Amino acid sequence: MDQEAKNSLLRKAQEHIAHTQELLAVERVKVQTLVDTKVTGAKVEDKWTGEYVKALNRNRLIELDRLGGSPYFSKCSCTFDGTTKDYYFSKFSFTEASIYSWVAPIASLRFDSPGAVSYQIPSGKVRAGALHNKDEFQITDGKILFFAHESEEKSRTLIHQEHFSTRKSGFLLPEIVSKMEKVQDTIIRAHYNNPFVVSGPAGSGKTTLALHRIAYLMQAPASTEIYKNSSIVVFVQDQRSKEYFSHLLPDLGITTVSVVTFTEWAMDILDDATISAVGAYSNDLFYEQEKVRAMRSVLERDRAPKFSKNYFSLLEKIYTPYISEASLTHFKEQKKLRVLDRIDLTILLTLYRKSRAKMAITKRSFVAGDDGGFVEKERKENINYMLMVVDEFQNYLPEQLTILKACVDEEHKSTIYVGDIAQQINPGAIRDWAEIDEIIPQDRIILLDKVYRTTKTILEFIQTLGYTVSIPSSIREGSEVFDKRFSSKLDALEYIRDIITKRQERESVGILGMDIDIVRELQNEIDTDEFVHCMTARESQGLEFDTVCIVGFDPDTYFNNHKSFPEHFQKEKEKIDRDLLYIALTRAISNLHMVQFT
């Protein structure tokens, strides 16, 4: 294809985008008018209905705004039943311009080659036709950054490509809807019954893939009536992960799904405002391991006392015969502060579950009062999720997952486990699906083996530390990994500040400490902002940064620090340490710096 033909295709595409944006602007005015219209009606029910419709229109405004800057990412010219038509595919539908959501059955055609094609409609009938040509786009703020064309006569040809930055703000993963491969699309469209595991190395896009599956189940014709916002829950590791998901989900049209940590969820069930909860009370892994051993000594041998609202006395009764004096002193500090950790909560919820048929949560809502106003009411509601997603499942105790599993609808058993069993960072975490009596069909265990994130240079460095990692042939080379040792903290800080100062615009930097004490020192010395983040390696799991500085890793001591622990815990501590370092190393997209100081 000569340049004149390419220019003609580009010009037509630009004109179509401009025309589509005009149609979107007109539609936005119509929807905004509906949102601004005052709700009227004498009956309370009429007002509620009106407010519900307004809420739907507000969500539609958000979709239209997102479409305005990027109307679509694919176009297929097809003939079906004797009629030829251009179909455009995007995150959201806009049928006025023949734009269809990526979850529509016909959207699967964008992975096919020109020629004879077919797809299955919701009724089960197969619709056959011909794909004449297809275009791939990346459009940002109405501007075409990438455009490729393929037809029955011509193989895939690059029409236009801008030089654009891949830098991202915050913690967002690269979006994969438009870059998705056919195998990923097939995974997302798999039947909704039974559990699903999405696993793979860091940077393989497993979390993003799982989120797209949620979006698909919520929007696809065959499942949209089953998977409502209020019946879906996503369990995340901590508040940082919660912030991360809060950015990803709305971009997929998921606005009101519950995203919670296990501790938040457990506290809602226990419903006691006088206590607080944390994932881990201290950084003493041996303390956690002793509590896990005590929990299993009591619960697995059916010696458990009855559930009681006197939480701390109940826990103390369980722990005292099994944990050391030092650990018991730790727990008494917790008791004094009225703070529960994930292990305490797991014990309490296990006993709670034994005391009643179903887990229940307190729901607060407003109902119409006799005077025409609204009155707040409380009620206990049994928990029955139609879909549950557990992110970083490998860090959960089997007992935690057993509790969560019991809250999933028995008919559909729709659970998505996301994570990597090789990256466990908590004592007592799940090692085998048999521990929670979960049977997962082999075709629903998805292993993603392609790394979308890091560089060949970084992966080769990871190999030198004794890790087994796969290096795809197509991966980019990348910059040198810097291993710096400084004789003073001041010199190390100056090196880190220099990295921050010289970074490119909007480049994200993660400063990861191998222990909490180092992180506290760094947080007092380093200025952080939207693009510069300082945290422990443990807190960084699931996140990514353009540049990573790992501070405090000394290979001469780090791989041997488990030897100071009791013999029965040494093997588990060694694995946790290796997994934590692997997590820190694989947070880097482009640049990695190892920084030590004495």
Side-chain angles (χ1 to χ4, degrees), residues 283-322:
N283 291 289
D284 187 341
L285 295 183
F286 180 61
Y287 173 55
E288 289 194 346
Q289 197 256 4
E290 281 209 310
K291 291 173 80 171
V292 170
R293 283 164 60 89
M295 173 182 69
R296 290 172 182 166
S297 296
V298 173
L299 298 183
E300 291 179 4
R301 299 175 188 175
D302 204 24
R303 299 175 180 175
K306 290 184 178 180
F307 177 74
S308 164
K309 284 275 189 178
N310 196 346
Y311 300 138
F312 290 96
S313 295
L314 179 60
L315 291 167
E316 190 169 3
K317 181 178 179 180
I318 290 172
Y319 289 141
T320 299
Y322 298 99

Side-chain angles (χ1 to χ4, degrees), residues 99-332:
I99 296 174
Y100 298 86
S101 167
W102 65 279
V103 305
I106 194 173
S108 63
L109 296 182
R110 73 188 195 273
F111 302 108
D112 291 334
S113 298
V117 294
S118 63
Y119 67 96
Q120 190 175 55
I121 61 178
S123 67
K125 181 181 176 181
V126 174
R127 193 180 186 205
L131 171 60
H132 304 299
N133 57 70
K134 67 175 186 177
D135 298 333
E136 297 173 47
F137 298 95
Q138 182 174 348
I139 304 168
T140 301
D141 297 329
K143 184 178 182 180
I144 297 176
L145 301 182
F146 174 86
F147 176 15
H149 177 78
E150 183 178 355
S151 69
E152 294 170 299
E153 298 79 26
K154 295 284 186 181
S155 60
R156 189 173 185 271
T157 303
L158 179 65
I159 305 300
H160 176 75
Q161 182 170 6
E162 294 262 343
H163 294 289
F164 56 92
S165 172
T166 59
R167 305 297 179 187
K168 305 177 303 300
S169 63
F171 302 143
L172 301 187
L173 278 171
E175 186 219 312
I176 65 167
V177 179
S178 58
K179 303 172 187 175
M180 204 179 293
E181 297 177 3
K182 190 173 183 67
V183 65
Q184 294 171 319
D185 187 66
T186 302
I187 292 167
I188 286 171
R189 293 173 189 271
H191 197 276
Y192 44 80
N193 282 353
N194 295 319
F196 216 95
V197 176
V198 183
S199 188
S204 60
K206 54 185 178 290
T207 299
T208 311
L209 185 63
L211 295 183
H212 283 82
R213 179 158 170 79
I214 301 173
Y216 174 79
L217 292 176
M218 290 177 65
Q219 299 171 40
S223 54
T224 186
E225 291 302 315
I226 299 172
Y227 299 101
K228 305 290 188 183
N229 282 330
S230 59
S231 68
I232 300 173
V233 64
V234 179
F235 282 93
V236 297
Q237 291 287 287
D238 49 37
Q239 291 302 316
R240 287 183 184 274
S241 301
K242 195 170 179 178
E243 176 189 347
Y244 173 55
F245 276 73
S246 71
H247 285 85
L248 283 176
L249 290 169
D251 206 37
L252 295 171
I254 306 172
T255 54
T256 56
V257 164
S258 178
V259 181
V260 296
T261 64
F262 178 82
T263 55
E264 290 173 332
W265 181 79
M267 291 297 288
D268 281 343
I269 293 172
L270 297 178
D271 197 27
D272 187 337
T274 69
I275 58 177
S276 59
V278 293
Y281 175 70
S282 73
N283 291 289
D284 187 341
L285 295 183
F286 180 61
Y287 173 55
E288 289 194 346
Q289 197 256 4
E290 281 209 310
K291 291 173 80 171
V292 170
R293 283 164 60 89
M295 173 182 69
R296 290 172 182 166
S297 296
V298 173
L299 298 183
E300 291 179 4
R301 299 175 188 175
D302 204 24
R303 299 175 180 175
K306 290 184 178 180
F307 177 74
S308 164
K309 284 275 189 178
N310 196 346
Y311 300 138
F312 290 96
S313 295
L314 179 60
L315 291 167
E316 190 169 3
K317 181 178 179 180
I318 290 172
Y319 289 141
T320 299
Y322 298 99
I323 65 177
S324 64
E325 283 297 322
S327 292
L328 191 57
T329 299
H330 249 352
F331 179 72
K332 287 179 178 178

Side-chain angles (χ1 to χ4, degrees), residues 167 454-461 476-482 504 546-547 589-593:
R167 305 297 179 187
T454 195
T455 66
K456 180 179 179 181
T457 310
I458 291 174
L459 291 179
E460 288 176 339
F461 177 77
R476 59 201 168 102
E477 286 291 334
S479 305
E480 176 187 357
V481 174
F482 294 94
Q504 295 184 30
D546 294 301
T547 296
I589 298 173
S590 300
N591 307 297
L592 177 62
H593 301 259

